[in-house]
Amino acid sequence: MYQSSESLGKLVSLLSRLPGVGRKTAGRLAFHILKMHEDEAKDLAEAILLVKEKVGSCTVCCNISEVDPCPVCTDDKRDRSVICVVEEASDIVALEKAEDFKPLYHVLGGRLSPLDGIGPDDLNIKSLLARLDDSVAEVIVATNPDVEGEATAMYLNKLIKPFGPKTTRIARGLPVGGDLEYADGVTITRALEGRQEL
Amino acid sequence: MYQSSESLGKLVSLLSRLPGVGRKTAGRLAFHILKMHEDEAKDLAEAILLVKEKVGSCTVCCNISEVDPCPVCTDDKRDRSVICVVEEASDIVALEKAEDFKPLYHVLGGRLSPLDGIGPDDLNIKSLLARLDDSVAEVIVATNPDVEGEATAMYLNKLIKPFGPKTTRIARGLPVGGDLEYADGVTITRALEGRQEL
């Protein structure tokens, strides 16, 4: 393939490894970077290095953080009796959009997936169980509502029960603003199972 | 909005300035970079800096290049009697996919667009006219087939004519593999106008 510059070609190939970025998008991004102001490109490169250098993980909740323990774990205004378990740190960003929901979190770092060779020892489960003292009243399992996420939730439920706290699972049903007509059968089944009195 | 780390937030905001990258995609990319191997992130950052440092433009054809004149301009195997005029350096990558097409190029650096305040003096037109000696038999105007691209082509045609070479415009019609049923009226009109004997 024609290539106008070796360093541009290298940038394209590195960018195309990012998720959701194919060769064409990578080319467009690389040409954009080429046209950027020098300072802006420098900022971007430095931000990439800085994020790798500064961001570690919290030894309590395994969330990504620049300090240890992380600001969530040390936040006195949070409900310390509730731990919300998520698969990835990025899920916390989503959950924090909810109103009136200020729990502590615990990041598993993935989900059980025997096909990919990911078992309980590959997830941050031991550190979760270590947190379950008398102050914890509820563990909300907010793994994704797919096969692996459900299996992980069931597995965690069994482990957590002996420690005392109530284990709950986030509701599965129709998304707000959704349309019954376009919902799949499993979602409708779950929405009916999870129906609540008005 | 909740933010788990300041440096991650900065990376997200810088990434979201890239074309076609919204805040959500930027977040996904940033989390991916965070999970990348250290060396890989370093490579990416360095590639961004390197591309800004190494890549300049060819003084002959205004294409991006690491050397001056660029490898295309110095390539003896190319048809030096044909100059293909394009809006952006990225268009050359597209044109080089054509079979049996090895012309010289000239990059305008944009197109005439009075609404955006882009006039003839903002484009590399003078350097194009300076190249039109007796060795050039044809100038192919391959600006984009939209309003501004067509206007730019018409304008260039007028300027080039006195210098002698034939000016041609790339054909507009139905894309190969396309479907008449879904083609817009203007494209069909152009396809009919440009019809050729079998």
Side-chain angles (χ1 to χ4, degrees):
Chain A
M1 204 191 114
Y2 166 80
Q3 191 176 289
S4 46
S5 136
E6 204 183 315
S7 45
L8 192 71
K10 185 160 185 219
L11 181 59
V12 171
S13 106
L14 286 172
L15 286 172
S16 64
R17 288 192 212 159
L18 295 173
V21 178
R23 262 206 101 73
K24 255 191 176 158
T25 309
R28 213 174 60 227
L29 292 176
F31 270 105
H32 179 87
I33 288 169
L34 198 61
K35 281 187 156 190
M36 260 183 189
H37 196 275
E38 184 110 28
D39 291 341
E40 214 180 339
K42 221 169 162 181
D43 280 352
L44 179 59
E46 274 166 11
I48 290 171
L49 293 176
L50 202 69
V51 101
K52 292 300 288 181
E53 184 195 311
K54 278 213 169 181
V55 182
S57 67
C58 171
T59 46
V60 179
C61 70
C62 310
N63 186 14
I64 56 162
S65 174
E66 293 184 23
V67 287
D68 187 20
C70 75
V72 171
C73 287
T74 51
D75 184 353
D76 283 337
K77 284 179 201 135
R78 288 188 171 257
D79 182 354
R80 308 188 75 81
S81 69
V82 179
I83 296 180
C84 180
V85 178
V86 294
E87 291 179 16
E88 301 287 351
S90 46
D91 297 330
I92 296 181
V93 179
L95 286 164
E96 283 290 306
K97 287 183 202 149
E99 276 169 44
D100 297 326
F101 183 66
K102 294 279 165 222
L104 298 178
Y105 289 100
H106 195 84
V107 180
L108 290 176
R111 67 262 192 94
L112 293 179
S113 180
L115 287 176
D116 302 316
I118 299 172
D121 292 339
D122 302 309
L123 305 178
N124 304 318
I125 293 178
K126 268 183 202 152
S127 52
L128 169 64
L129 299 179
R131 293 175 71 185
L132 301 180
D133 55 23
D134 290 344
S135 67
V136 180
E138 181 178 358
V139 176
I140 304 173
V141 184
T143 51
N144 282 323
D146 52 18
V147 177
E148 288 95 350
E150 297 292 354
T152 309
M154 305 257 274
Y155 180 79
L156 287 180
N157 181 34
K158 248 194 288 179
L159 288 184
I160 293 166
K161 224 157 218 174
F163 287 85
K166 179 169 71 172
T167 324
T168 56
R169 178 92 178 99
I170 48 167
R172 283 126 308 167
L174 291 161
V176 176
D179 197 323
L180 259 173
E181 196 180 338
Y182 298 113
D184 60 290
V186 182
T187 299
I188 293 182
T189 307
R190 290 273 182 271
L192 289 170
E193 280 172 5
R195 70 189 180 277
Q196 283 167 340
E197 230 173 288
L198 286 172
Chain B
M1 205 191 112
Y2 165 81
Q3 193 177 284
S4 46
S5 136
E6 203 183 316
S7 46
L8 192 72
K10 185 160 185 220
L11 180 59
V12 171
S13 108
L14 286 171
L15 287 171
S16 65
R17 288 193 211 157
L18 295 173
V21 178
R23 262 206 100 73
K24 253 192 177 156
T25 308
R28 212 174 57 228
L29 293 177
F31 270 104
H32 180 87
I33 288 169
L34 198 60
K35 281 187 155 190
M36 259 182 189
H37 195 274
E38 184 109 30
D39 291 342
E40 215 181 337
K42 219 166 162 184
D43 280 353
L44 179 58
E46 273 165 13
I48 290 171
L49 294 175
L50 201 71
V51 100
K52 292 300 289 182
E53 183 194 313
K54 277 212 168 178
V55 182
S57 68
C58 170
T59 47
V60 179
C61 70
C62 310
N63 186 13
I64 57 163
S65 173
E66 293 184 24
V67 288
D68 186 21
C70 75
V72 171
C73 287
T74 51
D75 183 355
D76 284 337
K77 284 176 200 137
R78 289 189 170 258
D79 182 353
R80 308 191 74 82
S81 69
V82 179
I83 295 180
C84 180
V85 179
V86 293
E87 290 179 17
E88 301 289 351
S90 47
D91 297 331
I92 295 181
V93 179
L95 286 164
E96 283 290 306
K97 287 182 204 152
E99 276 168 45
D100 297 325
F101 183 66
K102 294 281 164 218
L104 298 178
Y105 289 98
H106 195 84
V107 179
L108 290 176
R111 68 267 192 88
L112 294 179
S113 178
L115 286 176
D116 302 315
I118 299 172
D121 293 338
D122 302 308
L123 304 179
N124 304 319
I125 294 178
K126 267 182 203 153
S127 52
L128 169 65
L129 300 178
R131 293 175 71 184
L132 301 178
D133 55 23
D134 291 345
S135 69
V136 180
E138 180 177 359
V139 177
I140 304 173
V141 184
T143 51
N144 283 324
D146 53 16
V147 177
E148 288 95 350
E150 297 293 353
T152 309
M154 305 257 275
Y155 180 82
L156 286 179
N157 181 33
K158 249 194 289 178
L159 287 184
I160 294 166
K161 221 155 221 174
F163 287 85
K166 178 169 70 169
T167 323
T168 56
R169 178 90 176 101
I170 47 167
R172 282 127 309 168
L174 290 161
V176 176
D179 197 323
L180 259 174
E181 195 181 339
Y182 298 112
D184 60 291
V186 183
T187 298
I188 293 183
T189 309
R190 290 271 183 271
L192 288 170
E193 281 171 8
R195 67 188 182 279
Q196 283 167 340
E197 229 172 290
L198 287 171

